[in-house]
Amino acid sequence: GLHFDELNKLRVLEPEAAQQTAQLREECRAFLDKIVEFQKIVGSLIELVDQLAKAAESEKMKAIGARNLLKSIAKQREAQEQQLQALIAEKKMQLERYRIEYETLCKIEADQNEFIDQFIFQK
């Protein structure tokens, strides 16, 4: 079970098994290097996805805020419209009162003018 290698050193393993072991060791190192590189790539991808998720969440919150503001403005406009409608109704009622008062005053004026005319003609 003892063997000499290419440098004439005494070895326990057969030269072929030693060569295969060395080759396997190199393949394992290459595999580990690839795994480390893959982990770095995946780590950077995860960071990028996290950043994108945070940005999307931020934009979502901005959109929700804008939508709520829009609803608030719409409600304010609706309330303002109702106030203006109430003011219009009040002004219409006031206009109707003034119109009736005007008609009444016109009638009183006509009656007084008629009375004055009759009084002048009687003298």
Side-chain angles (χ1 to χ4, degrees):
L2 296 176
H3 303 280
F4 290 99
D5 66 0
E6 60 272 351
L7 299 175
N8 291 325
K9 290 188 176 182
L10 188 60
R11 301 287 181 187
V12 176
L13 288 176
E14 294 180 16
E16 187 177 312
Q19 182 184 2
Q20 288 176 353
T21 303
Q23 184 181 358
L24 182 60
R25 183 181 311 122
E26 290 302 317
E27 288 177 4
C28 286
R29 283 187 185 145
F31 180 74
L32 283 175
D33 290 342
K34 288 181 181 180
I35 291 294
V36 168
E37 184 180 343
F38 178 74
Q39 286 177 335
K40 287 179 185 178
I41 292 171
V42 168
S44 64
L45 179 64
I46 289 173
E47 286 179 24
L48 179 63
V49 169
D50 284 344
Q51 289 174 355
L52 290 175
K54 287 178 184 176
E57 188 67 25
S58 174
E59 290 300 318
K60 178 182 165 184
M61 289 301 182
K62 285 180 186 178
I64 288 172
R67 182 179 65 197
N68 289 342
L69 179 62
L70 185 60
K71 284 180 181 179
S72 174
I73 290 172
K75 287 180 181 179
Q76 287 175 349
R77 285 191 179 175
E78 186 178 317
Q80 186 179 21
E81 182 182 354
Q82 289 176 352
Q83 289 175 345
L84 291 174
Q85 291 293 341
L87 184 63
I88 288 171
E90 182 182 328
K91 294 296 181 183
K92 283 182 178 180
M93 288 174 46
Q94 188 178 16
L95 176 64
E96 185 61 24
R97 284 195 306 268
Y98 288 155
R99 188 187 61 76
I100 292 170
E101 186 178 347
Y102 174 75
E103 288 176 358
T104 304
L105 289 174
C106 284
K107 186 177 180 184
I108 291 172
E109 181 187 21
D111 289 345
Q112 287 178 351
N113 283 338
E114 186 179 329
F115 176 76
I116 292 172
D117 287 343
Q118 286 179 0
F119 183 75
I120 291 176
F121 284 126
Q122 286 180 358
K123 282 192 169 190

